Amino acid sequence: MSQQFTAALEIVTAKDIMIKTVGIENGIKENDELTKAKKNEAKITENQDKDQSTLVSKPADDSPIIKMSEQNVRADVVVNNKTANGEAGGRQVAKEEQEKKRDPEVKYNEVKSMPKPDKALLKSQFKLFSKHGDKSADGSTIKLNQSDKWFKQAGVIKQKGITNTDTSIAFRKVAKKAIRISFVDWNKYLDEIATTKKMDVNTIKTKLVECGEPGSMKVDKSAALDCLTLTVTAPIKI
């Protein structure tokens, strides 16, 4: 009997141990699942908070705030561009006015085209002025000082406009080290001056043709007409 009782007691004890072990394992599993559930819930809450903060800090592209900001930026750019263009235009106008004051006949970046003068007349003038003051000259070449005298008589060289410095620089470019230049090279010399001073070369040539022979003084028709049309305002004594 005692042996049977002992065996039955051992069986009962083993069953209790198994029940307790299973219970513990189940409890551990439940705790793990509960922990995982809490972690998932925390992640969901964190993601929701991030989404809300993103919406608050970065409004949608089509929101009124973004549209107003873009419009303000565009307006600022347009105003700045207009201001810059206005300042540049003002400087350009001021520069042109300064050039006009320096020489009314030479307008900045504006060249009036004139018809070409008679080449034969220009060459005839060239021969006359190339011989003027130089008995040994044959009229085929001209010196810088002879050309300058011709320019002065024609009114091409003046205080405001083409100067002796301009003619000297252009002459050196064409003549190099030569003292005289031919009629062909002299025309290149005229082109150089006209380009540098932004003038029409035909205007210069026309003045050189119409200035008369060396040493002559050509009378301005308009000035002569003014003299003829003057009215006497002084009282006449009888």
Side-chain angles (χ1 to χ4, degrees):
M1 288 292 292
S2 60
Q3 292 179 351
Q4 292 178 354
F5 179 78
T6 301
L9 183 61
E10 290 178 354
I11 292 170
V12 171
T13 303
K15 286 183 180 181
D16 291 338
I17 292 171
M18 290 179 63
I19 291 170
K20 289 180 180 180
T21 303
V22 172
I24 291 171
E25 290 178 353
N26 290 335
I28 291 172
K29 287 182 179 179
E30 288 179 358
N31 289 334
D32 291 340
E33 290 177 358
L34 182 61
T35 302
K36 288 181 181 180
K38 288 183 178 180
K39 287 183 179 179
N40 291 334
E41 185 178 357
K43 286 184 179 180
I44 293 172
T45 304
E46 183 179 357
N47 292 333
Q48 289 178 350
D49 293 338
K50 286 183 179 179
D51 293 339
Q52 289 180 356
S53 62
T54 302
L55 291 174
V56 172
S57 60
K58 296 182 179 179
D61 293 340
D62 58 349
S63 66
I65 297 174
I66 292 296
K67 289 182 178 179
M68 290 178 65
S69 299
E70 290 178 354
Q71 290 176 356
N72 291 335
V73 170
R74 290 174 184 170
D76 291 340
V77 171
V78 171
V79 170
N80 291 334
N81 288 338
K82 287 183 178 179
T83 304
N85 294 333
E87 291 177 355
R91 287 194 295 269
Q92 182 69 17
V93 171
K95 190 174 182 181
E96 291 179 4
E97 291 298 327
Q98 289 178 357
E99 291 293 334
K100 290 177 182 179
K101 288 179 181 179
R102 290 176 187 172
D103 188 359
E105 294 183 3
V106 182
K107 293 185 178 180
Y108 184 75
N109 284 341
E110 182 179 349
V111 178
K112 291 184 178 180
S113 180
M114 288 188 67
K116 291 183 179 181
D118 191 339
K119 187 176 180 180
L121 291 175
L122 184 63
K123 191 170 185 178
S124 176
Q125 286 285 87
F126 178 86
K127 287 182 178 180
L128 291 174
F129 279 91
S130 63
K131 291 180 179 180
H132 185 62
D134 189 355
K135 295 180 180 180
S136 63
D138 59 0
S140 61
T141 57
I142 194 169
K143 296 178 181 179
L144 175 60
N145 63 337
Q146 292 172 322
S147 181
D148 282 351
K149 289 178 182 178
W150 188 4
F151 274 39
K152 288 178 182 178
Q153 182 171 318
V156 176
I157 288 181
K158 31 175 131 175
Q159 291 181 351
K160 295 181 179 180
I162 298 175
T163 64
N164 291 96
T165 303
D166 297 325
T167 59
S168 178
I169 293 172
F171 196 90
R172 286 297 109 211
K173 285 184 178 180
V174 176
K176 305 300 181 185
K177 295 182 180 180
I179 299 174
R180 295 172 174 270
I181 55 176
S182 64
F183 180 71
V184 174
D185 288 337
W186 181 77
N187 276 275
K188 294 178 182 178
Y189 157 74
L190 294 182
D191 291 334
E192 178 67 27
I193 292 175
T195 302
T196 303
K197 302 301 291 184
K198 295 181 175 63
M199 295 180 66
D200 179 26
V201 69
N202 291 330
T203 302
I204 299 174
K205 290 180 179 180
T206 300
K207 289 183 178 182
L208 295 172
V209 168
E210 295 178 349
C211 71
E213 296 181 358
S216 65
M217 297 295 293
K218 186 179 178 183
V219 179
D220 189 356
K221 293 180 181 180
S222 61
L225 184 62
D226 290 339
C227 291
L228 292 174
T229 56
L230 286 174
T231 56
V232 179
T233 57
I236 301 174
K237 293 182 180 180
I238 299 175

